[in-house]
mmCIF file of all heavy atoms in Angstrom:
data_model
loop_
_atom_site.group_PDB
_atom_site.id
_atom_site.type_symbol
_atom_site.label_atom_id
_atom_site.label_comp_id
_atom_site.label_asym_id
_atom_site.label_seq_id
_atom_site.Cartn_x
_atom_site.Cartn_y
_atom_site.Cartn_z
ATOM 1 N N VAL A 369 21.764 -4.968 -38.377
ATOM 2 C CA VAL A 369 22.471 -4.020 -37.530
ATOM 3 C C VAL A 369 22.602 -2.679 -38.236
ATOM 4 O O VAL A 369 22.444 -1.613 -37.623
ATOM 5 C CB VAL A 369 23.863 -4.570 -37.150
ATOM 6 C CG1 VAL A 369 24.668 -3.530 -36.374
ATOM 7 C CG2 VAL A 369 23.723 -5.851 -36.351
ATOM 8 N N ASN A 370 22.915 -2.705 -39.543
ATOM 9 C CA ASN A 370 23.070 -1.445 -40.279
ATOM 10 C C ASN A 370 21.802 -0.610 -40.237
ATOM 11 O O ASN A 370 21.854 0.613 -40.071
ATOM 12 C CB ASN A 370 23.450 -1.738 -41.742
ATOM 13 C CG ASN A 370 24.858 -2.289 -41.857
ATOM 14 O OD1 ASN A 370 25.437 -2.717 -40.853
ATOM 15 N ND2 ASN A 370 25.419 -2.268 -43.059
ATOM 16 N N VAL A 388 30.528 6.597 -43.586
ATOM 17 C CA VAL A 388 31.441 7.033 -44.655
ATOM 18 C C VAL A 388 31.464 6.027 -45.798
ATOM 19 O O VAL A 388 32.098 6.262 -46.814
ATOM 20 C CB VAL A 388 32.868 7.231 -44.115
ATOM 21 C CG1 VAL A 388 32.884 8.360 -43.098
ATOM 22 C CG2 VAL A 388 33.402 5.948 -43.499
ATOM 23 N N HIS A 389 30.792 4.899 -45.593
ATOM 24 C CA HIS A 389 30.760 3.877 -46.637
ATOM 25 C C HIS A 389 29.437 3.930 -47.383
ATOM 26 O O HIS A 389 28.404 4.320 -46.825
ATOM 27 C CB HIS A 389 30.922 2.474 -46.022
ATOM 28 C CG HIS A 389 32.171 2.329 -45.215
ATOM 29 N ND1 HIS A 389 33.430 2.421 -45.753
ATOM 30 C CD2 HIS A 389 32.355 2.076 -43.887
ATOM 31 C CE1 HIS A 389 34.334 2.240 -44.805
ATOM 32 N NE2 HIS A 389 33.704 2.034 -43.669
ATOM 33 N N LYS A 394 28.336 -2.163 -49.461
ATOM 34 C CA LYS A 394 28.917 -2.867 -48.330
ATOM 35 C C LYS A 394 27.827 -3.593 -47.553
ATOM 36 O O LYS A 394 26.758 -3.035 -47.306
ATOM 37 C CB LYS A 394 29.640 -1.877 -47.408
ATOM 38 C CG LYS A 394 30.790 -1.137 -48.087
ATOM 39 C CD LYS A 394 31.962 -2.050 -48.394
ATOM 40 C CE LYS A 394 33.097 -1.286 -49.040
ATOM 41 N NZ LYS A 394 34.262 -2.164 -49.342
ATOM 42 N N GLN A 396 28.697 -5.723 -44.711
ATOM 43 C CA GLN A 396 29.061 -6.092 -43.353
ATOM 44 C C GLN A 396 28.313 -5.210 -42.359
ATOM 45 O O GLN A 396 27.976 -4.070 -42.652
ATOM 46 C CB GLN A 396 30.580 -5.928 -43.122
ATOM 47 C CG GLN A 396 31.424 -6.908 -43.878
ATOM 48 C CD GLN A 396 31.897 -6.329 -45.214
ATOM 49 O OE1 GLN A 396 31.370 -5.317 -45.661
ATOM 50 N NE2 GLN A 396 32.852 -7.001 -45.829
ATOM 51 N N ALA A 397 28.105 -5.782 -41.206
ATOM 52 C CA ALA A 397 27.443 -5.016 -40.151
ATOM 53 C C ALA A 397 28.377 -3.931 -39.650
ATOM 54 O O ALA A 397 29.606 -4.093 -39.650
ATOM 55 C CB ALA A 397 27.059 -5.942 -39.006
ATOM 56 N N CYS A 398 27.820 -2.827 -39.213
ATOM 57 C CA CYS A 398 28.607 -1.706 -38.696
ATOM 58 C C CYS A 398 29.508 -2.147 -37.545
ATOM 59 O O CYS A 398 30.638 -1.660 -37.389
ATOM 60 C CB CYS A 398 27.696 -0.588 -38.215
ATOM 61 S SG CYS A 398 26.639 0.110 -39.510
ATOM 62 N N THR A 399 29.008 -3.075 -36.741
ATOM 63 C CA THR A 399 29.754 -3.507 -35.559
ATOM 64 C C THR A 399 30.935 -4.409 -35.899
ATOM 65 O O THR A 399 31.688 -4.808 -35.005
ATOM 66 C CB THR A 399 28.813 -4.240 -34.588
ATOM 67 O OG1 THR A 399 28.113 -5.269 -35.300
ATOM 68 C CG2 THR A 399 27.818 -3.272 -33.962
ATOM 69 N N MET A 400 31.123 -4.739 -37.192
ATOM 70 C CA MET A 400 32.321 -5.470 -37.576
ATOM 71 C C MET A 400 33.557 -4.618 -37.358
ATOM 72 O O MET A 400 34.628 -5.118 -37.002
ATOM 73 C CB MET A 400 32.225 -5.882 -39.057
ATOM 74 C CG MET A 400 31.161 -6.923 -39.333
ATOM 75 S SD MET A 400 31.581 -8.559 -38.682
ATOM 76 C CE MET A 400 32.939 -9.014 -39.759
ATOM 77 N N CYS A 401 33.409 -3.309 -37.554
ATOM 78 C CA CYS A 401 34.522 -2.389 -37.331
ATOM 79 C C CYS A 401 34.344 -1.605 -36.033
ATOM 80 O O CYS A 401 35.313 -1.415 -35.281
ATOM 81 C CB CYS A 401 34.649 -1.400 -38.490
ATOM 82 S SG CYS A 401 35.025 -2.171 -40.089
ATOM 83 N N HIS A 402 33.165 -1.164 -35.795
ATOM 84 C CA HIS A 402 32.869 -0.382 -34.589
ATOM 85 C C HIS A 402 32.489 -1.358 -33.473
ATOM 86 O O HIS A 402 31.338 -1.456 -33.055
ATOM 87 C CB HIS A 402 31.740 0.605 -34.866
ATOM 88 C CG HIS A 402 32.006 1.496 -36.043
ATOM 89 N ND1 HIS A 402 32.806 2.615 -35.981
ATOM 90 C CD2 HIS A 402 31.570 1.418 -37.343
ATOM 91 C CE1 HIS A 402 32.854 3.205 -37.161
ATOM 92 N NE2 HIS A 402 32.124 2.490 -38.015
ATOM 93 N N THR A 403 33.511 -2.071 -33.005
ATOM 94 C CA THR A 403 33.247 -3.185 -32.098
ATOM 95 C C THR A 403 32.805 -2.742 -30.695
ATOM 96 O O THR A 403 32.041 -3.443 -30.035
ATOM 97 C CB THR A 403 34.510 -4.054 -31.972
ATOM 98 O OG1 THR A 403 35.604 -3.229 -31.542
ATOM 99 C CG2 THR A 403 34.862 -4.698 -33.314
ATOM 100 N N GLN A 404 33.291 -1.613 -30.250
ATOM 101 C CA GLN A 404 32.991 -1.152 -28.888
ATOM 102 C C GLN A 404 31.842 -0.144 -28.913
ATOM 103 O O GLN A 404 31.971 0.995 -28.473
ATOM 104 C CB GLN A 404 34.246 -0.540 -28.269
ATOM 105 C CG GLN A 404 35.446 -1.456 -28.256
ATOM 106 C CD GLN A 404 35.146 -2.747 -27.509
ATOM 107 O OE1 GLN A 404 34.631 -2.720 -26.399
ATOM 108 N NE2 GLN A 404 35.477 -3.884 -28.121
ATOM 109 N N ILE A 405 30.735 -0.591 -29.455
ATOM 110 C CA ILE A 405 29.628 0.328 -29.716
ATOM 111 C C ILE A 405 28.957 0.839 -28.439
ATOM 112 O O ILE A 405 28.273 1.869 -28.445
ATOM 113 C CB ILE A 405 28.594 -0.366 -30.642
ATOM 114 C CG1 ILE A 405 27.725 0.669 -31.344
ATOM 115 C CG2 ILE A 405 27.763 -1.365 -29.861
ATOM 116 C CD1 ILE A 405 28.511 1.609 -32.242
ATOM 117 N N SER A 411 38.840 5.161 -28.690
ATOM 118 C CA SER A 411 38.447 5.632 -30.020
ATOM 119 C C SER A 411 37.120 6.359 -29.951
ATOM 120 O O SER A 411 36.153 5.844 -29.370
ATOM 121 C CB SER A 411 38.348 4.448 -30.985
ATOM 122 O OG SER A 411 37.782 4.847 -32.211
ATOM 123 N N VAL A 413 35.261 6.793 -32.443
ATOM 124 C CA VAL A 413 34.322 6.107 -33.342
ATOM 125 C C VAL A 413 34.172 4.635 -32.928
ATOM 126 O O VAL A 413 33.725 3.814 -33.721
ATOM 127 C CB VAL A 413 34.748 6.225 -34.792
ATOM 128 C CG1 VAL A 413 34.567 7.670 -35.297
ATOM 129 C CG2 VAL A 413 36.199 5.761 -35.006
ATOM 130 N N PHE A 414 34.592 4.332 -31.706
ATOM 131 C CA PHE A 414 34.374 3.032 -31.089
ATOM 132 C C PHE A 414 35.012 1.863 -31.847
ATOM 133 O O PHE A 414 34.443 0.784 -31.960
ATOM 134 C CB PHE A 414 32.856 2.777 -30.932
ATOM 135 C CG PHE A 414 32.136 3.933 -30.323
ATOM 136 C CD1 PHE A 414 31.195 4.645 -31.048
ATOM 137 C CD2 PHE A 414 32.387 4.320 -29.015
ATOM 138 C CE1 PHE A 414 30.540 5.722 -30.486
ATOM 139 C CE2 PHE A 414 31.740 5.401 -28.457
ATOM 140 C CZ PHE A 414 30.807 6.117 -29.190
ATOM 141 N N PHE A 415 36.252 2.123 -32.387
ATOM 142 C CA PHE A 415 36.968 1.056 -33.057
ATOM 143 C C PHE A 415 37.510 0.038 -32.082
ATOM 144 O O PHE A 415 37.600 -1.143 -32.376
ATOM 145 C CB PHE A 415 38.109 1.619 -33.922
ATOM 146 C CG PHE A 415 37.646 2.220 -35.197
ATOM 147 C CD1 PHE A 415 38.350 3.290 -35.765
ATOM 148 C CD2 PHE A 415 36.543 1.750 -35.871
ATOM 149 C CE1 PHE A 415 37.933 3.849 -36.966
ATOM 150 C CE2 PHE A 415 36.118 2.317 -37.077
ATOM 151 C CZ PHE A 415 36.813 3.385 -37.616
ATOM 152 N N LYS A 416 37.947 0.500 -30.917
ATOM 153 C CA LYS A 416 38.528 -0.435 -29.957
ATOM 154 C C LYS A 416 38.315 0.082 -28.547
ATOM 155 O O LYS A 416 37.896 1.231 -28.354
ATOM 156 C CB LYS A 416 40.016 -0.623 -30.225
ATOM 157 C CG LYS A 416 40.819 0.646 -30.171
ATOM 158 C CD LYS A 416 42.279 0.376 -30.470
ATOM 159 C CE LYS A 416 43.091 1.689 -30.410
ATOM 160 N NZ LYS A 416 44.528 1.467 -30.670
#
Side-chain angles (χ1 to χ4, degrees):
V369 175
N370 290 15
V388 296
H389 303 296
K394 299 291 181 180
Q396 291 94 346
C398 299
T399 52
M400 292 289 291
C401 297
H402 305 280
T403 56
Q404 304 302 311
I405 201 62
S411 171
V413 290
F414 312 115
F415 283 149
K416 58 181 180 179

